[in-house]
Amino acid sequence: GVGGQGSLLASKLLGWLLLNEGYDVKVSEVHGMSQRGGSVVTYVRFGEKVYSPIIDKGEADLIVSFEKLEAARYLDYLKPDGTVVVNTQQIDPMPVVTGATVEKMKVAGANVDAMDCLTLAREAGSEKAVNLVLLGRLSRHYDIPIEHWQAAIEACVPKKFLEINQRAFLLGRNTKLDGEN
């Protein structure tokens, strides 16, 4: 994501969820110039035993991206036939300059699950809830009961923002895209 979009909370919540599902979990984050709108990258690795949080190029099963340019920037980390869950938001001017698009991700061989998370976050009550819309969408790719996701949200989100974030999660999870059953 880009600084201020909530990717750190999203990775914390995902790590909490997976730890409570019984997995060994390692989380790492790289901030860069995040306070100035630069990239924020987090890695969440989980499994029976995980020794390092770092994911090498070509190894990621899933990439969750808060913005199209960021998805394109880290696409080489995705394994063949991996999935990208991406917010279709563009943060100008870089996406315009680079021409990064969802179509380029598809051409590169990624399974792309793209939706306008910003509009759904606004519908939930806050533009800042894009992170929970994305996590809701991501939850469709894991066989983890929704109640466990909801418990993670309750554990990681401050109480005063809980209702908006719960709505955002459900919008991301339940919104049907064109061609979807």
Side-chain angles (χ1 to χ4, degrees):
V2 173
Q5 288 188 299
S7 57
L8 298 179
L9 173 61
S11 62
K12 174 185 175 183
L13 193 154
L14 185 58
W16 189 96
L17 169 77
L18 295 168
L19 190 64
N20 282 283
E21 289 295 308
Y23 293 104
D24 184 21
V25 180
K26 301 288 186 277
V27 178
S28 176
E29 52 196 53
V30 179
H31 297 270
M33 293 293 288
S34 61
Q35 291 183 344
R36 300 198 186 277
S39 288
V40 176
V41 179
T42 61
Y43 300 94
V44 178
R45 288 189 78 176
F46 68 99
E48 190 174 306
K49 184 65 183 158
V50 177
Y51 297 98
S52 169
I54 303 303
I55 298 170
D56 289 327
K57 290 182 179 181
E59 289 186 347
D61 295 307
L62 279 152
I63 292 177
V64 178
S65 181
F66 288 60
E67 193 269 342
K68 288 194 296 187
L69 172 62
E70 295 301 313
R73 182 175 287 154
Y74 291 95
L75 193 59
D76 56 343
Y77 282 82
L78 194 65
K79 73 179 187 180
D81 202 35
T83 298
V84 180
V85 177
V86 60
N87 177 13
T88 57
Q89 179 181 7
Q90 284 189 177
I91 298 177
D92 294 329
M94 286 308 293
V96 174
V97 171
T98 64
T101 66
V102 169
E103 289 307 313
K104 284 187 179 181
M105 293 174 225
K106 290 178 181 176
V107 168
N111 298 312
V112 180
D113 185 351
M115 66 188 312
D116 181 357
C117 299
L118 181 60
T119 297
L120 291 173
R122 286 178 181 144
E123 185 179 327
S126 173
E127 289 185 2
K128 292 184 177 184
V130 164
N131 54 354
L132 270 291
V133 173
L134 273 167
L135 285 176
R137 197 66 189 176
L138 175 67
S139 73
R140 297 167 60 111
H141 295 275
Y142 287 104
D143 189 23
I144 296 174
I146 190 169
E147 297 81 16
H148 298 194
W149 288 91
Q150 290 168 334
I153 294 166
E154 289 173 14
C156 297
V157 172
K159 297 286 184 232
K160 64 182 178 178
F161 303 117
L162 187 57
E163 188 177 325
I164 287 172
N165 282 279
Q166 287 171 327
R167 267 196 312 268
F169 176 85
L170 290 174
L171 283 168
R173 181 178 175 96
N174 297 329
T175 297
K176 301 270 188 213
L177 301 178
D178 291 340
E180 229 177 26
N181 294 325

